[in-house]
Amino acid sequence: MTSPVGLHRVVEPAGVLPQAAWRLDADPRIAPNEVRIRVERLNLDAASFRQLSEKHGGDGEKVRAEVLEIISTRGKMQNPVTGSGGMLIGTVEEAGRRSPLGLTAGDRVATLVSLTLTPLMILDGLARWDGRSEQVPCDGYAILFARSIAAVLPADLHPELSLAVLDVCGAPALTARVVAEHVARRQREGDPRPVNVAVIGGAGKSGSLSLAAARRAGAGRTVGVVPVAAERDALTAAGLATSVALADARDPVGLSTAVTTALDAPADVTVVCVDVPGCEHGAVLATEDGGTVIFFSMATSFAAAALGAEGLAADVTMLVGNGYVPGHAELALELLRSEPGVRGLFESRLAAD
């Protein structure tokens, strides 16, 4: 029987969902409710790429070899250390007659589900990738299930730019929802204070989109926190935040001080978009009691976040950004089109890669 969530593709261990499986069956022959994508580019999760690059000392050939080994061994791209994967773009080769995704052969699409649960086969040995960037040109196949999500690529944007945006499109959508809820609560309670938002990693892909989304959702003051002067200057020039602070997100007291100083108060909403571990306690400490911390980084230790909040007696709501909010792709692409600061940061990042 063909499962809408891909259980029939799980090789081992039996009985788990594809994301939790150690190995998937990436046979390109599709079931009636599946779709086969001819893959042209992967976008590795930032935390995964950083871990691989640091492990191999920046040696691109070794990074490339390990990514190939992971995919060939596991039938999907799932970093065994970070547990994360990424997403891809490609062209629909065949859609099963019972697929509910509404895709047809020839559609150029981006998958909006993780590579950690997507059956994947690489055919070209990643020969065109130097192992030094998150975006991976390639040739291969991927399989989408009935419960998968994909978006047809917009004609007005370069595919690489669309891929970079859609890779993190869950972040601005959830940020907008949470900020809007805080704004509405203040209004109901007759509280005139502005809603303050801090985005840790504000110059990155998810961070810049989240800053723009927070402002659109009614945030009064925003601060983008970055680790180095070059990112501070770039984010300042982009004009996406009320202020920009320089701090190491792994330093809880330093991060909290930087946020509180920039906002004249702790943040009501703190959004964590950095791709390094050890940022949990600082995010909690920087957030006002009754506030919300949203963790988007796959480098997050959720045990450290929960136990740290308990140890600090912090009355904060902590959310895991799961990458999906209805309408998330459309919102992210609209922010890219309408916010010159966001587009500039994305294009600069792609040029550097």
Side-chain angles (χ1 to χ4, degrees), residues 157 165 168-169 171-176 205-217 240 327-344 346:
L157 297 175
V165 173
V168 295
C169 63
L174 184 55
T175 297
K205 295 190 297 183
S206 58
S208 59
L209 284 165
S210 295
L211 280 168
R215 183 170 62 190
R216 293 269 188 101
L240 297 175
H328 59 338
E330 295 82 359
L331 173 64
L333 291 169
E334 194 277 328
L335 286 171
L336 180 82
R337 293 185 180 103
S338 61
E339 296 280 353
V342 170
R343 185 160 189 156
F346 268 81

Side-chain angles (χ1 to χ4, degrees), residues 139-305:
D139 182 35
Y141 295 107
I143 306 299
L144 299 183
F145 311 131
R147 287 285 296 272
S148 298
I149 314 167
V152 176
L153 291 174
D156 63 317
L157 297 175
H158 193 283
E160 291 181 29
L161 186 56
S162 295
L163 178 61
V165 173
L166 294 172
D167 179 47
V168 295
C169 63
L174 184 55
T175 297
R177 175 190 285 178
V178 171
V179 171
E181 289 172 350
H182 276 265
V183 170
R185 186 180 309 127
R186 290 264 165 95
Q187 291 173 343
R188 287 196 305 270
E189 296 171 352
D191 188 338
R193 293 177 300 160
V195 172
N196 295 330
V197 178
V199 177
I200 317 303
K205 295 190 297 183
S206 58
S208 59
L209 284 165
S210 295
L211 280 168
R215 183 170 62 190
R216 293 269 188 101
R221 291 177 293 183
T222 58
V223 58
V225 182
V226 295
V228 295
E231 290 191 9
R232 177 195 61 198
D233 296 344
L235 186 55
T236 300
L240 297 175
T242 307
S243 57
V244 180
L246 195 62
D248 185 340
R250 298 165 295 184
D251 174 4
V253 174
L255 176 63
S256 176
T257 300
V259 168
T260 302
T261 299
L263 296 174
D264 294 325
D268 298 297
V269 179
T270 301
V271 186
V272 183
C273 297
V274 292
D275 57 4
V276 295
C279 304
E280 301 86 3
H281 295 170
V284 171
L285 197 60
T287 307
E288 182 71 83
D289 278 352
T292 303
V293 184
I294 310 173
F295 292 104
F296 280 109
S297 171
M298 290 297 101
T300 301
S301 166
F302 300 107

